[in-house]
Amino acid sequence: MRRYPYSVLYAFVLLAGFAAVAHAETPNLVTGDIQFMTNYVGRGLAQSVGQPSASAELDIGAGDGAYGGIDVTGINWIDQLYPGDSVSVEVDGWAGYRMHFSPDWIGKAGVLRLQFPGRYIEQAPPAARPDTTEFFARVGWNDVSAQLNYSLSDSFGTPDSKGSWYLDLSASQAVYPGWTLAAHVGRKHATGHDPVSGAAHRLNDYTDYKFSVAWALADNLQLTLAHTWTNADPGRYTLNGYNVGGHHTWLLLERDF
């Protein structure tokens, strides 16, 4: 089982606590949540490699106009990919602008920075840190949305991959008081070529799918059961015998503030 350093757990508690206090003082400005997951799956891939994970998020700016936020999530894939590294968290920060065009339509755009702090050792062959900067744009209509993330830097430590993108199409529907069904399809497209082998990065492309059902246990508390899978090449997305792009069923408990 993955054991996170005390500093990581402290970061989760601190961020969640700050979100709760800030929300109590300025409920229209600051929101947040804390999540516990049996497996952290992001963009169709098991980022915690089948291990439990936790996440804390803080959002500033609930209405139209400028907004931002930060999220801290436990991961395990870097340590599995590069033995000797010790990188237990992903820290995402974003800033952007949001606008409602009508009661049913919303649009937003901004910049997202994905940072992976930790201890890195020299690898052979050399490996770049996966820190990534992306531009994102989203449009939503009621409970249907589309979002595009476009890499402004090399994507997740892959050389010559600037311009890679990920497209997210999602929809949800309340089916009974307290119950919501949701579906998602995503597409990752990588640009450029491996500078050593010359192979096109598009060999890492994949489409991912997700179905989920959420149950509202109480006010601001919900439990979600999700199943995800991709068509990613297992030969490229298997870490120590675990297919991070395979079929995964997992639970998520979320408390909103």
Side-chain angles (χ1 to χ4, degrees):
M1 179 178 178
R2 177 72 171 172
R3 297 183 182 275
Y4 295 109
Y6 287 116
S7 59
V8 174
L9 297 178
Y10 178 74
F12 290 140
V13 174
L14 182 64
L15 187 54
F18 180 77
V21 172
H23 175 74
E25 295 179 349
T26 54
N28 294 323
L29 176 64
V30 179
T31 58
D33 64 67
I34 186 168
Q35 301 178 345
F36 298 95
M37 299 157 276
T38 58
N39 193 4
Y40 167 42
V41 179
R43 300 190 182 184
L45 305 178
Q47 311 278 351
S48 62
V49 195
Q51 298 299 314
S53 178
S55 174
E57 180 173 310
L58 180 66
D59 296 284
I60 302 174
D64 287 353
Y67 73 100
I70 186 172
D71 179 275
V72 180
T73 306
I75 62 170
N76 195 20
W77 65 272
I78 296 176
D79 295 1
Q80 296 287 323
L81 184 61
Y82 301 113
D85 285 357
S86 181
V87 184
S88 299
V89 295
E90 172 186 336
V91 181
D92 299 343
W94 57 90
Y97 192 86
R98 174 172 47 215
M99 177 179 292
H100 284 80
F101 300 104
S102 73
D104 299 328
W105 287 89
I106 183 174
K108 63 180 183 179
V111 176
L112 168 67
R113 176 65 176 180
L114 303 100
Q115 198 79 20
F116 299 87
R119 180 176 64 86
Y120 292 83
I121 67 171
E122 187 175 349
Q123 301 288 337
R129 288 181 55 143
D131 304 333
T132 304
T133 301
E134 296 179 337
F135 168 80
F136 66 86
R138 178 181 182 272
V139 61
W141 175 73
N142 290 322
D143 295 321
V144 180
S145 67
Q147 178 165 319
L148 178 68
N149 286 57
Y150 180 89
S151 182
L152 301 175
S153 66
D154 282 342
S155 183
F156 298 98
T158 303
D160 189 35
S161 61
K162 185 184 299 185
S164 298
W165 52 262
Y166 180 79
L167 178 64
D168 175 331
L169 304 175
S170 299
S172 63
Q173 176 65 52
V175 293
Y176 192 76
W179 292 86
T180 302
L181 295 178
H184 151 89
V185 60
R187 178 65 182 175
K188 174 195 172 182
H189 174 71
T191 62
H193 295 77
D194 186 300
V196 177
S197 68
H201 291 320
R202 67 173 179 271
L203 296 175
N204 296 317
D205 290 1
Y206 63 83
T207 302
D208 68 277
Y209 309 88
K210 174 183 175 182
F211 290 103
S212 65
V213 55
W215 176 31
L217 301 174
D219 289 344
N220 301 320
L221 180 67
Q222 70 174 15
L223 179 67
T224 300
L225 172 65
H227 183 80
T228 59
W229 73 98
T230 78
N231 65 355
D233 181 358
R236 295 177 176 273
Y237 287 94
T238 297
L239 293 173
N240 296 326
Y242 186 89
N243 183 4
V244 299
H247 284 264
H248 305 294
T249 301
W250 43 282
L251 289 168
L252 182 152
L253 181 65
E254 177 176 337
R255 173 71 164 90
D256 299 322
F257 300 99

